[in-house]
Amino acid sequence: MVKPLIEPFSLVLGGSSGIKPYKVRLERRLSDLRGFFHNRRLVEEKLSRGENPKVYEVYEVPQEPVSGHLSLASTVIFPGKVGDEYYFTKGHFHEKEDASEVYIGLEGEGIILMQNREGEVRHLRIGPNVVLYVPPGFAHRTVNVGSSRLVFLAIYPSDAGHDYGSIAETGFAKLVLEREGRPVIVDNPSYSE
Ligand code: S6P
Ligand code: ZN
């Protein structure tokens, strides 16, 4: 029999980090998202005034990047906008093309944008008690469209890998903007295939 690499464990959902205990904490500030928001001039103006707000945090329980294991991570996206564009995560493809992912909404209101390599976009709502499946081949970005924190749990193959470069280069084909107090999904004029 193969000796298991790790012992079974459990986590508790909730609290400021979304899961507890966690192993790794990451934070992404506006300066880490330079070039991601559609109004780049506004981002540079804010940064030059010394404004560098925290946009999101990730709390991870990673496993060894080998086939068969699942990693867990909660994400907390703070409420906020750059101009009319809601705060979001960078977004990524999984390097392993057949790696899917499950998201479970814990707090707040969000929209997940999903885009395949052909540039086709899908979107779904996430919030408490929503379980959402991101199929293989779709890059995914989460957008906080509410006025409070958006918190969700992600479960994904620990050998999925993260390709941030493709999205950093092309952007998503759609933007999520506020119009009259509500989120709308519009074409991204600067999307390049
Ligand atoms: C990992 C999963 C999430 C994100 C997190 C932050 O596969 O999709 O845990 O890593 O929401 O987003 P990003 O795009 O900065 O990794
Ligand atoms: Zn992912």
Side-chain angles (χ1 to χ4, degrees), residues 14 24 26-27 34 69 77 82 88 109 125 130-131 141 172 191 193:
V24 181
L26 307 173
E27 66 174 44
R34 259 195 161 115
H69 276 288
I77 309 179
V82 173
F88 53 59
E109 287 174 68
R125 286 273 185 169
V130 173
V131 179
R141 164 175 288 167
F172 273 77
Y191 174 67
E193 280 174 80

PDB file of all heavy atoms in Angstrom, residues 14 24 26-27 34 69 77 82 88 109 125 130-131 141 172 191 193:
ATOM      1  N   GLY A  14     -15.372  30.731   7.776  1.00  0.00           N
ATOM      2  CA  GLY A  14     -15.849  31.943   8.449  1.00  0.00           C
ATOM      3  C   GLY A  14     -14.716  32.767   9.016  1.00  0.00           C
ATOM      4  O   GLY A  14     -13.544  32.452   8.833  1.00  0.00           O
ATOM      5  N   VAL A  24      -0.723  30.023   4.230  1.00  0.00           N
ATOM      6  CA  VAL A  24      -0.059  31.119   3.514  1.00  0.00           C
ATOM      7  C   VAL A  24      -1.063  32.253   3.326  1.00  0.00           C
ATOM      8  O   VAL A  24      -2.219  31.989   2.982  1.00  0.00           O
ATOM      9  CB  VAL A  24       0.404  30.642   2.101  1.00  0.00           C
ATOM     10  CG1 VAL A  24       1.118  31.762   1.354  1.00  0.00           C
ATOM     11  CG2 VAL A  24       1.271  29.407   2.186  1.00  0.00           C
ATOM     12  N   LEU A  26      -1.624  35.879   1.240  1.00  0.00           N
ATOM     13  CA  LEU A  26      -1.134  36.788   0.203  1.00  0.00           C
ATOM     14  C   LEU A  26      -1.999  38.018   0.214  1.00  0.00           C
ATOM     15  O   LEU A  26      -3.197  37.918   0.504  1.00  0.00           O
ATOM     16  CB  LEU A  26      -1.287  36.183  -1.201  1.00  0.00           C
ATOM     17  CG  LEU A  26      -0.725  34.812  -1.488  1.00  0.00           C
ATOM     18  CD1 LEU A  26      -1.147  34.369  -2.887  1.00  0.00           C
ATOM     19  CD2 LEU A  26       0.794  34.876  -1.386  1.00  0.00           C
ATOM     20  N   GLU A  27      -1.423  39.162  -0.140  1.00  0.00           N
ATOM     21  CA  GLU A  27      -2.299  40.320  -0.331  1.00  0.00           C
ATOM     22  C   GLU A  27      -1.959  41.004  -1.634  1.00  0.00           C
ATOM     23  O   GLU A  27      -0.814  41.001  -2.071  1.00  0.00           O
ATOM     24  CB  GLU A  27      -2.261  41.285   0.848  1.00  0.00           C
ATOM     25  CG  GLU A  27      -0.966  41.986   1.064  1.00  0.00           C
ATOM     26  CD  GLU A  27      -1.063  43.039   2.179  1.00  0.00           C
ATOM     27  OE1 GLU A  27      -1.643  42.773   3.233  1.00  0.00           O
ATOM     28  OE2 GLU A  27      -0.520  44.142   1.945  1.00  0.00           O
ATOM     29  N   ARG A  34      -1.624  47.119 -11.296  1.00  0.00           N
ATOM     30  CA  ARG A  34      -1.296  48.123 -12.331  1.00  0.00           C
ATOM     31  C   ARG A  34      -1.522  47.499 -13.694  1.00  0.00           C
ATOM     32  O   ARG A  34      -1.052  46.408 -13.952  1.00  0.00           O
ATOM     33  CB  ARG A  34       0.196  48.431 -12.247  1.00  0.00           C
ATOM     34  CG  ARG A  34       0.523  49.697 -11.556  1.00  0.00           C
ATOM     35  CD  ARG A  34       1.962  50.079 -11.848  1.00  0.00           C
ATOM     36  NE  ARG A  34       2.131  51.474 -11.560  1.00  0.00           N
ATOM     37  CZ  ARG A  34       2.916  51.931 -10.592  1.00  0.00           C
ATOM     38  NH1 ARG A  34       3.609  51.100  -9.843  1.00  0.00           N
ATOM     39  NH2 ARG A  34       2.999  53.223 -10.395  1.00  0.00           N
ATOM     40  N   HIS A  69      -3.935  15.436  -5.356  1.00  0.00           N
ATOM     41  CA  HIS A  69      -4.173  16.318  -4.215  1.00  0.00           C
ATOM     42  C   HIS A  69      -5.008  17.528  -4.610  1.00  0.00           C
ATOM     43  O   HIS A  69      -4.989  17.961  -5.766  1.00  0.00           O
ATOM     44  CB  HIS A  69      -2.843  16.837  -3.650  1.00  0.00           C
ATOM     45  CG  HIS A  69      -2.208  15.877  -2.702  1.00  0.00           C
ATOM     46  ND1 HIS A  69      -2.695  15.645  -1.438  1.00  0.00           N
ATOM     47  CD2 HIS A  69      -1.127  15.092  -2.842  1.00  0.00           C
ATOM     48  CE1 HIS A  69      -1.936  14.748  -0.838  1.00  0.00           C
ATOM     49  NE2 HIS A  69      -0.983  14.385  -1.674  1.00  0.00           N
ATOM     50  N   ILE A  77     -12.242  39.699  -1.143  1.00  0.00           N
ATOM     51  CA  ILE A  77     -12.104  40.891  -1.994  1.00  0.00           C
ATOM     52  C   ILE A  77     -12.839  42.024  -1.287  1.00  0.00           C
ATOM     53  O   ILE A  77     -14.023  41.894  -0.935  1.00  0.00           O
ATOM     54  CB  ILE A  77     -12.702  40.681  -3.406  1.00  0.00           C
ATOM     55  CG1 ILE A  77     -12.168  39.398  -4.047  1.00  0.00           C
ATOM     56  CG2 ILE A  77     -12.394  41.898  -4.299  1.00  0.00           C
ATOM     57  CD1 ILE A  77     -12.745  39.114  -5.433  1.00  0.00           C
ATOM     58  N   VAL A  82     -12.307  51.272  -9.001  1.00  0.00           N
ATOM     59  CA  VAL A  82     -11.402  52.242  -9.623  1.00  0.00           C
ATOM     60  C   VAL A  82     -12.266  52.927 -10.671  1.00  0.00           C
ATOM     61  O   VAL A  82     -12.622  52.311 -11.678  1.00  0.00           O
ATOM     62  CB  VAL A  82     -10.186  51.546 -10.270  1.00  0.00           C
ATOM     63  CG1 VAL A  82      -9.367  52.555 -11.061  1.00  0.00           C
ATOM     64  CG2 VAL A  82      -9.328  50.878  -9.198  1.00  0.00           C
ATOM     65  N   PHE A  88     -11.464  43.527  -8.352  1.00  0.00           N
ATOM     66  CA  PHE A  88     -11.469  42.129  -8.819  1.00  0.00           C
ATOM     67  C   PHE A  88     -10.129  41.468  -8.561  1.00  0.00           C
ATOM     68  O   PHE A  88      -9.150  42.142  -8.183  1.00  0.00           O
ATOM     69  CB  PHE A  88     -11.808  42.072 -10.308  1.00  0.00           C
ATOM     70  CG  PHE A  88     -10.965  42.941 -11.206  1.00  0.00           C
ATOM     71  CD1 PHE A  88      -9.582  42.791 -11.270  1.00  0.00           C
ATOM     72  CD2 PHE A  88     -11.557  43.905 -12.011  1.00  0.00           C
ATOM     73  CE1 PHE A  88      -8.810  43.575 -12.112  1.00  0.00           C
ATOM     74  CE2 PHE A  88     -10.787  44.695 -12.860  1.00  0.00           C
ATOM     75  CZ  PHE A  88      -9.415  44.529 -12.905  1.00  0.00           C
ATOM     76  N   GLU A 109     -21.388  39.621  -2.401  1.00  0.00           N
ATOM     77  CA  GLU A 109     -22.000  39.456  -3.729  1.00  0.00           C
ATOM     78  C   GLU A 109     -20.941  39.612  -4.799  1.00  0.00           C
ATOM     79  O   GLU A 109     -20.243  40.641  -4.818  1.00  0.00           O
ATOM     80  CB  GLU A 109     -22.962  40.615  -4.024  1.00  0.00           C
ATOM     81  CG  GLU A 109     -24.250  40.660  -3.306  1.00  0.00           C
ATOM     82  CD  GLU A 109     -24.921  41.999  -3.685  1.00  0.00           C
ATOM     83  OE1 GLU A 109     -25.317  42.164  -4.858  1.00  0.00           O
ATOM     84  OE2 GLU A 109     -24.973  42.882  -2.817  1.00  0.00           O
ATOM     85  N   ARG A 125     -23.084  34.445 -11.039  1.00  0.00           N
ATOM     86  CA  ARG A 125     -23.116  35.124  -9.741  1.00  0.00           C
ATOM     87  C   ARG A 125     -22.561  34.208  -8.673  1.00  0.00           C
ATOM     88  O   ARG A 125     -22.766  32.989  -8.725  1.00  0.00           O
ATOM     89  CB  ARG A 125     -24.571  35.458  -9.380  1.00  0.00           C
ATOM     90  CG  ARG A 125     -25.126  36.602 -10.191  1.00  0.00           C
ATOM     91  CD  ARG A 125     -24.772  37.875  -9.478  1.00  0.00           C
ATOM     92  NE  ARG A 125     -25.377  39.028 -10.127  1.00  0.00           N
ATOM     93  CZ  ARG A 125     -25.387  40.228  -9.573  1.00  0.00           C
ATOM     94  NH1 ARG A 125     -24.871  40.435  -8.370  1.00  0.00           N
ATOM     95  NH2 ARG A 125     -25.913  41.237 -10.189  1.00  0.00           N
ATOM     96  N   VAL A 130     -23.666  29.546  -2.689  1.00  0.00           N
ATOM     97  CA  VAL A 130     -23.545  29.224  -4.123  1.00  0.00           C
ATOM     98  C   VAL A 130     -22.293  28.365  -4.326  1.00  0.00           C
ATOM     99  O   VAL A 130     -21.218  28.710  -3.840  1.00  0.00           O
ATOM    100  CB  VAL A 130     -23.434  30.503  -4.978  1.00  0.00           C
ATOM    101  CG1 VAL A 130     -23.133  30.169  -6.441  1.00  0.00           C
ATOM    102  CG2 VAL A 130     -24.708  31.325  -4.867  1.00  0.00           C
ATOM    103  N   VAL A 131     -22.486  27.246  -5.029  1.00  0.00           N
ATOM    104  CA  VAL A 131     -21.364  26.385  -5.399  1.00  0.00           C
ATOM    105  C   VAL A 131     -21.202  26.509  -6.909  1.00  0.00           C
ATOM    106  O   VAL A 131     -22.172  26.315  -7.644  1.00  0.00           O
ATOM    107  CB  VAL A 131     -21.632  24.916  -5.003  1.00  0.00           C
ATOM    108  CG1 VAL A 131     -20.468  24.028  -5.416  1.00  0.00           C
ATOM    109  CG2 VAL A 131     -21.879  24.808  -3.504  1.00  0.00           C
ATOM    110  N   ARG A 141     -11.846  35.155 -13.191  1.00  0.00           N
ATOM    111  CA  ARG A 141     -11.624  36.385 -12.414  1.00  0.00           C
ATOM    112  C   ARG A 141     -12.875  36.600 -11.571  1.00  0.00           C
ATOM    113  O   ARG A 141     -13.995  36.459 -12.083  1.00  0.00           O
ATOM    114  CB  ARG A 141     -11.438  37.576 -13.341  1.00  0.00           C
ATOM    115  CG  ARG A 141     -11.605  38.916 -12.620  1.00  0.00           C
ATOM    116  CD  ARG A 141     -11.311  40.103 -13.499  1.00  0.00           C
ATOM    117  NE  ARG A 141      -9.877  40.195 -13.754  1.00  0.00           N
ATOM    118  CZ  ARG A 141      -9.342  40.979 -14.692  1.00  0.00           C
ATOM    119  NH1 ARG A 141     -10.121  41.717 -15.459  1.00  0.00           N
ATOM    120  NH2 ARG A 141      -8.035  41.011 -14.853  1.00  0.00           N
ATOM    121  N   PHE A 172      -9.511  40.635 -19.958  1.00  0.00           N
ATOM    122  CA  PHE A 172     -10.735  39.872 -20.231  1.00  0.00           C
ATOM    123  C   PHE A 172     -11.507  40.623 -21.322  1.00  0.00           C
ATOM    124  O   PHE A 172     -11.418  41.856 -21.418  1.00  0.00           O
ATOM    125  CB  PHE A 172     -11.595  39.744 -18.967  1.00  0.00           C
ATOM    126  CG  PHE A 172     -11.217  38.563 -18.111  1.00  0.00           C
ATOM    127  CD1 PHE A 172     -10.091  38.605 -17.298  1.00  0.00           C
ATOM    128  CD2 PHE A 172     -11.984  37.404 -18.115  1.00  0.00           C
ATOM    129  CE1 PHE A 172      -9.737  37.520 -16.514  1.00  0.00           C
ATOM    130  CE2 PHE A 172     -11.635  36.311 -17.329  1.00  0.00           C
ATOM    131  CZ  PHE A 172     -10.509  36.367 -16.527  1.00  0.00           C
ATOM    132  N   TYR A 191      -9.614  45.112 -25.154  1.00  0.00           N
ATOM    133  CA  TYR A 191      -9.289  43.679 -25.209  1.00  0.00           C
ATOM    134  C   TYR A 191      -8.549  43.368 -26.503  1.00  0.00           C
ATOM    135  O   TYR A 191      -8.988  43.774 -27.575  1.00  0.00           O
ATOM    136  CB  TYR A 191     -10.576  42.844 -25.119  1.00  0.00           C
ATOM    137  CG  TYR A 191     -10.356  41.367 -25.320  1.00  0.00           C
ATOM    138  CD1 TYR A 191      -9.636  40.622 -24.404  1.00  0.00           C
ATOM    139  CD2 TYR A 191     -10.866  40.719 -26.453  1.00  0.00           C
ATOM    140  CE1 TYR A 191      -9.417  39.267 -24.584  1.00  0.00           C
ATOM    141  CE2 TYR A 191     -10.660  39.365 -26.645  1.00  0.00           C
ATOM    142  CZ  TYR A 191      -9.939  38.643 -25.708  1.00  0.00           C
ATOM    143  OH  TYR A 191      -9.721  37.304 -25.906  1.00  0.00           O
ATOM    144  N   GLU A 193      -7.061  40.128 -28.675  1.00  0.00           N
ATOM    145  CA  GLU A 193      -7.031  38.646 -28.747  1.00  0.00           C
ATOM    146  C   GLU A 193      -5.633  38.119 -28.942  1.00  0.00           C
ATOM    147  O   GLU A 193      -4.822  38.764 -29.563  1.00  0.00           O
ATOM    148  CB  GLU A 193      -7.920  38.158 -29.890  1.00  0.00           C
ATOM    149  CG  GLU A 193      -9.363  38.161 -29.482  1.00  0.00           C
ATOM    150  CD  GLU A 193     -10.259  37.808 -30.653  1.00  0.00           C
ATOM    151  OE1 GLU A 193     -10.393  36.624 -30.970  1.00  0.00           O
ATOM    152  OE2 GLU A 193     -10.812  38.759 -31.232  1.00  0.00           O
TER     153      GLU A 193
END
